[in-house]
Amino acid sequence: MPYTLSDFDYTLPPEFVAQVPAATRSASRLLHVHGLQREDRVFADLPALLAPGDLLVLNDTRVINARVLGQKSTGGRVELLIERIVSEREAWVQVRASHAPRPGSRIALAGDAAARVVERDGRFHRVDFEGTGPLHEWLDRHGEVPLPPYIGRVAQAADRERYQTIYARAPGAVAAPTAGLHFDDALMAALAARGIATAFVTLHVGAGTFQPVQHEDIARHRMHEERYTLPAATVDAIATARARGAPVIAVGTTTLRALEAAALAPGGMAPGSANTALFITPGFRFRAVDRLLTNFHLPRSTLLMLVSAFAGYEAIRAAYAHAIATRYRFYSYGDAMLLERERVAGAQRE
């Protein structure tokens, strides 16, 4: 039988959900998973687990201060979570309020600004921001860091730096590509000294990354869409790695989705920008990525399905059980895994 949503469930004690980052980025733990073999390391060991000439591909998106507080004309409190900025003054947002605002209504914001609701499309509202000037700049001043819902505290000043990769460049994400949070300057220098090549993609992570799967039949789930950009230099770096037989290591599921989506395009991987709603489940044939660095993912989530497709369903179940037994820290501010790709297709249980 095909896998169902219940096959991707597990029980995690609440105290294992990391509420704050490690004292230093590369001090996080790292679980190296190769089939049913596992090794406990620390993230600073990464250079020793790679070989000269290997290619690391990282997502250089930058998290914006996407959580905005406002007030309706009736006095009711409203929370806006930016999903995607579409111009200097317009964005698609998720709205949290006692009653969803109707098109045409205005929400008062900080700095004498306002948000006018233009239209609604399912869970999202298209909003015109008035009196903000360039929206990115206004969010830098008045928005809050959009910590994930499982971090049960208010964002603090330190989160502006720690919920951001050190190589973040292109603003647009509303959630961090969390596998990259473990890299610091010392680790990047150690990788370069070992001869590890690096390249970048840009995929702006949307709030849809936290969207739950609603159907037991996972084939009925429809993925959220995200936009990615693949530079020519990265395409060339991947071709060079392939030519010398070196592995391509994706830093994070967002990087993997961008590379695999590009590899599926007509004509194969090419530079440019595109949208992807790629939903990776067991049985997917990987074309671009050989190894994956990733954090631990929520039960019943599309990301848990992705890593199960990559490393093998039984390997991931065993790795998660080991991580819980040995008290790894989970989710965005938690620890990481280095996954070797399963070489034998395991689309379904036999």
Side-chain angles (χ1 to χ4, degrees), residues 43-79:
F43 204 86
D45 292 339
L46 181 62
L49 297 173
L50 306 180
D54 287 2
L55 176 64
L56 274 176
V57 185
L58 310 102
N59 183 4
D60 65 3
T61 187
R62 186 171 186 82
V63 180
I64 60 175
N65 293 336
R67 180 167 283 119
V68 177
L69 301 179
Q71 191 173 54
K72 294 191 288 188
S73 58
T74 58
R77 183 178 180 272
V78 180
E79 181 181 291

Side-chain angles (χ1 to χ4, degrees), residues 118-137:
V118 178
E119 62 175 313
R120 182 175 183 176
D121 182 3
R123 298 181 301 116
F124 300 103
H125 295 73
R126 185 162 65 91
V127 169
D128 180 41
F129 286 85
E130 303 170 349
T132 59
L135 187 52
H136 279 299
E137 297 177 9

Side-chain angles (χ1 to χ4, degrees), residues 16-336:
F16 288 13
V17 179
Q19 298 296 306
V20 296
T24 58
R25 292 178 184 263
S26 60
S28 299
R29 296 171 73 187
L30 177 67
L31 179 60
H32 185 197
V33 178
H34 191 174
L36 295 178
Q37 299 177 22
R38 296 175 298 277
E39 184 181 15
D40 298 303
R41 308 288 291 253
V42 294
F43 204 86
D45 292 339
L46 181 62
L49 297 173
L50 306 180
D54 287 2
L55 176 64
L56 274 176
V57 185
L58 310 102
N59 183 4
D60 65 3
T61 187
R62 186 171 186 82
V63 180
I64 60 175
N65 293 336
R67 180 167 283 119
V68 177
L69 301 179
Q71 191 173 54
K72 294 191 288 188
S73 58
T74 58
R77 183 178 180 272
V78 180
E79 181 181 291
L80 305 179
L81 180 63
I82 308 293
E83 166 69 14
R84 185 172 73 256
I85 294 176
V86 295
S87 73
E88 282 204 344
R89 55 179 292 170
E90 278 196 344
W92 286 96
V93 306
Q94 292 187 43
V95 178
R96 289 184 181 178
S98 55
H99 299 286
R102 296 179 178 179
S105 58
R106 295 177 80 256
I107 300 165
L109 304 175
D112 295 323
R116 180 175 59 84
V117 179
V118 178
E119 62 175 313
R120 182 175 183 176
D121 182 3
R123 298 181 301 116
F124 300 103
H125 295 73
R126 185 162 65 91
V127 169
D128 180 41
F129 286 85
E130 303 170 349
T132 59
L135 187 52
H136 279 299
E137 297 177 9
W138 183 87
L139 289 171
D140 281 343
R141 295 192 302 272
H142 299 290
E144 297 180 1
V145 176
L147 291 179
Y150 44 73
I151 294 181
R153 61 177 177 82
V154 175
Q156 301 169 358
D159 293 305
R160 289 200 172 212
E161 184 251 336
R162 291 304 302 270
Y163 195 62
Q164 197 84 263
T165 64
I166 64 167
Y167 47 78
R169 180 192 58 82
V174 302
T178 54
L181 297 180
H182 306 284
F183 289 80
D184 54 26
D185 290 332
L187 181 60
M188 295 296 280
L191 289 164
R194 186 159 167 77
I196 310 302
T198 55
F200 294 91
V201 300
T202 304
L203 185 143
H204 294 315
V205 190
T209 192
F210 302 114
Q211 179 182 342
V213 179
Q214 302 286 354
H215 305 288
E216 184 68 12
D217 178 3
I218 61 176
R220 296 177 60 191
H221 181 70
R222 294 295 172 261
M223 281 289 287
H224 58 288
E225 190 171 77
E226 292 170 320
R227 187 159 186 82
Y228 69 88
T229 298
L230 184 62
T234 299
V235 174
D236 292 343
I238 292 171
T240 299
R242 288 278 176 257
R244 63 174 176 249
V248 174
I249 303 111
V251 178
T253 57
T254 59
T255 298
L256 182 144
R257 285 185 74 224
L259 294 179
E260 294 295 340
L264 284 168
M269 188 177 290
S273 297
N275 294 330
T276 181
L278 181 62
F279 183 22
I280 296 176
T281 59
F284 180 86
R285 184 168 72 87
F286 292 89
R287 295 161 174 81
V289 176
D290 303 297
R291 305 173 84 184
L292 172 64
L293 276 163
T294 185
N295 280 20
F296 294 90
H297 302 294
L298 291 165
R300 303 167 72 90
S301 66
T302 60
L303 297 181
L304 185 56
M305 296 171 196
L306 183 155
V307 296
S308 298
F310 188 84
Y313 178 81
E314 295 298 339
I316 290 297
R317 286 193 67 83
Y320 273 57
H322 172 83
I324 293 169
T326 52
R327 306 187 68 84
Y328 275 71
R329 303 167 76 244
F330 276 61
Y331 308 156
S332 292
Y333 272 154
D335 297 314

